[in-house]
Amino acid sequence: MEKAFQTLFAMSIFKQIEDLKNKAEEQIQKIQTQTELDQLHSSILGKKGELTSILKGLKDLSDQERREAGSAANETRKEMDLLFGNAKKQIESLEIQQRISKEKYDALKPIETAQGHLHPVTAVQYQVEDIFSSMGFRVMDGPEVETDDNNFGKLNFSEDHPARDMQDTFWTEDGNLLRTHTSSVQVRAMEKLSPPFRIIAPGRVFRYEETDASHENTFYQVEGMLIDRVVSVSNLIYIMKTFLSAFFERDVKVRLRPGYFPFVEPGFELDIHCLLCSGKGCPVCKQSGWLELLPCGLVHPNVIRAGGMDPSEWQGFAFGMGLMRLVMMKYSIEDIRHFLSGNLRFLKQF
Ligand code: FA5
């Protein structure tokens, strides 16, 4: 290229670079978002941007002019980088301002949290405690890991007593066990309290057995024990009837059938007249009109003796009801396995 043309051409390149810088300055002012800024950046300074295409013309210039135009281009690129950097910061702070102005905090608005409530078994346990407390019973607690003696021995299960096989037991490695019934608290009550006394002991018990609609391997019982000088089966029936009528909020008919437990003599199974069909017969009571509810009896003299009392002076009655079965009856729940399933759809109904 001729010298004069080269000079003209170089001047035009300087002008183009200058114009591009002005154009970038002007357009950056109008930009509101990060996306628009990115698009402008790549259209001006990107690989296929306007600056690159201007610089393609450098090859036609003299060495001297090429150097000058190149360094002008670098200078311009630096200035524009600075411009874009500042614009980026401004847009970010603008976006934060906009977000904050939308996220208003209202101190008076109630915070929406999921409301918890008592598990149905716990709620019914408290109800049972209230009714028995009103009849002078004290609520006692006992450990879930028990000694063989408290769970069996002192309750008149001899070492080789076949009744020990009645309940399948979880044993711990040190020879203790997970209590198979709350009757172990009878033993603790006799050791701790002086007669006469009346206690109930609600709690969790464990049995190594298959589960089905009415059997769990972990379930709840409520034990009851009353010790006094003269105690008869009619006292037992009276207390049971009073409790059941208060619990089910209607008059409840009961009947006793003989039942065997080594720690009571005589022992009974107490049935209630089916509340769902009023004794006419339905699937829940298996058409019999009666529901087996709780075992009970008069405390065996050997148990009184093991508890440190003289059986010729002290007598008593005891009972052990299945708390989950009581809840099932109260709310017509058809499967005991719902209780510990952790299913919130089930629990939210209560
Ligand atoms: C006993 O556990 C005796 N300790 C009860 C007792 C106490 C008798 C005092 C006499 C005097 P039984 O194994 O039948 O007895 O259990 C008592 C109640 O617990 C049953 O009537 C039933 O309602 C409930 N129950 C028993 N096994 C299960 C189980 N696997 N799942 C849920 N509930 C059960």
Side-chain angles (χ1 to χ4, degrees):
M1 202 186 280
E2 253 176 64
K3 183 94 178 101
F5 274 126
Q6 271 187 339
T7 309
L8 263 179
F9 191 62
M11 281 168 65
S12 118
I13 286 184
F14 281 121
K15 170 109 176 44
Q16 283 178 57
I17 292 173
E18 187 63 24
D19 286 352
L20 187 62
K21 196 176 111 189
N22 291 338
K23 180 178 146 190
E25 268 173 355
E26 196 184 306
Q27 292 199 354
I28 281 176
Q29 301 294 327
K30 297 182 197 151
I31 275 175
Q32 299 275 335
T33 69
Q34 189 60 51
T35 325
E36 286 169 358
L37 188 70
D38 290 343
Q39 279 166 358
L40 184 65
H41 183 271
S42 76
S43 77
I44 292 180
L45 298 177
K47 259 190 198 162
K48 292 183 183 161
E50 290 182 56
L51 185 62
T52 313
S53 66
I54 293 172
L55 295 179
K56 277 182 188 151
L58 291 183
K59 67 179 185 325
D60 297 325
L61 299 183
S62 68
D63 289 350
Q64 167 76 11
E65 282 166 341
R66 195 180 310 123
R67 261 196 304 278
E68 283 169 12
S71 98
N74 280 342
E75 208 46 46
T76 304
R77 183 184 284 279
K78 271 191 213 156
E79 284 170 26
M80 284 202 274
D81 276 343
L82 199 67
L83 276 178
F84 275 102
N86 287 342
K88 186 177 161 69
K89 279 186 205 147
Q90 267 179 15
I91 288 172
E92 275 170 0
S93 94
L94 191 74
E95 284 178 348
I96 290 171
Q97 290 295 332
Q98 283 170 347
R99 219 180 311 140
I100 290 174
S101 70
K102 277 190 212 147
E103 287 173 7
K104 276 193 202 129
Y105 174 64
D106 181 355
L108 295 177
K109 196 175 161 209
I111 298 168
E112 284 172 21
T113 49
Q115 289 269 318
H117 61 78
L118 291 179
H119 190 282
V121 173
T122 313
V124 168
Q125 177 187 320
Y126 289 169
Q127 211 179 338
V128 172
E129 288 178 6
D130 283 348
I131 298 171
F132 277 104
S133 298
S134 74
M135 294 192 280
F137 284 74
R138 156 183 185 165
V139 181
M140 261 191 86
D141 202 5
E144 291 175 346
V145 177
E146 261 296 4
T147 60
D148 178 288
D149 222 22
N150 284 348
N151 196 79
F152 292 125
K154 289 181 175 161
L155 289 169
N156 202 31
F157 291 80
S158 61
E159 276 302 322
D160 53 353
H161 199 298
R164 276 181 186 258
D165 300 330
M166 276 166 41
Q167 297 164 348
D168 290 310
T169 309
F170 288 107
W171 296 92
T172 60
E173 281 173 359
D174 58 2
N176 289 318
L177 48 83
L178 297 187
R179 65 179 176 190
T180 59
H181 53 181
T182 43
S183 298
S184 53
V185 190
Q186 286 188 30
V187 177
R188 291 179 175 270
M190 288 185 289
E191 279 166 3
K192 189 169 173 203
L193 307 172
S194 12
F197 65 79
R198 305 165 178 209
I199 60 113
I200 59 160
R204 194 158 58 153
V205 303
F206 310 86
R207 290 188 196 172
Y208 183 55
E209 60 181 44
E210 292 280 337
T211 61
D212 62 28
S214 55
H215 291 87
E216 261 291 7
N217 47 34
T218 299
F219 58 100
Y220 288 77
Q221 290 185 332
V222 181
E223 194 74 11
M225 185 180 221
L226 178 148
I227 299 284
D228 214 319
R229 292 193 186 273
V230 184
V231 179
S232 68
V233 174
S234 28
N235 298 135
L236 168 64
I237 295 177
Y238 175 77
I239 295 282
M240 292 293 98
K241 270 197 77 159
T242 308
F243 162 70
L244 293 167
S245 301
F247 181 76
F248 289 110
E249 295 168 334
R250 66 183 101 160
D251 195 29
V252 175
K253 275 193 209 155
V254 301
R255 76 173 183 192
L256 292 183
R257 285 178 295 114
Y260 173 70
F261 301 90
F263 37 96
V264 283
E265 180 56 40
F268 305 105
E269 287 289 352
L270 185 143
D271 299 339
I272 61 168
H273 213 212
C274 181
L275 298 169
L276 293 175
C277 64
S278 308
K280 290 191 195 84
C282 70
V284 174
C285 64
K286 299 191 185 99
Q287 310 303 332
S288 72
W290 293 93
L291 281 169
E292 186 179 313
L293 188 64
L294 64 106
C296 52
L298 296 187
V299 182
H300 196 290
N302 287 349
V303 174
I304 300 259
R305 208 173 285 117
M309 291 174 285
D310 179 354
S312 65
E313 200 182 340
W314 298 103
Q315 302 174 328
F317 68 68
F319 57 87
M321 53 187 151
L323 185 56
M324 283 173 161
R325 299 237 179 115
L326 211 58
V327 185
M328 289 169 83
M329 229 171 286
K330 181 141 186 159
Y331 296 110
S332 304
I333 296 165
E334 80 304 346
D335 197 315
I336 198 168
R337 289 167 294 193
H338 289 310
F339 290 122
L340 301 181
S341 66
N343 181 347
L344 289 180
R345 279 178 58 220
F346 168 74
L347 292 173
K348 278 181 180 162
Q349 299 173 79
F350 297 91

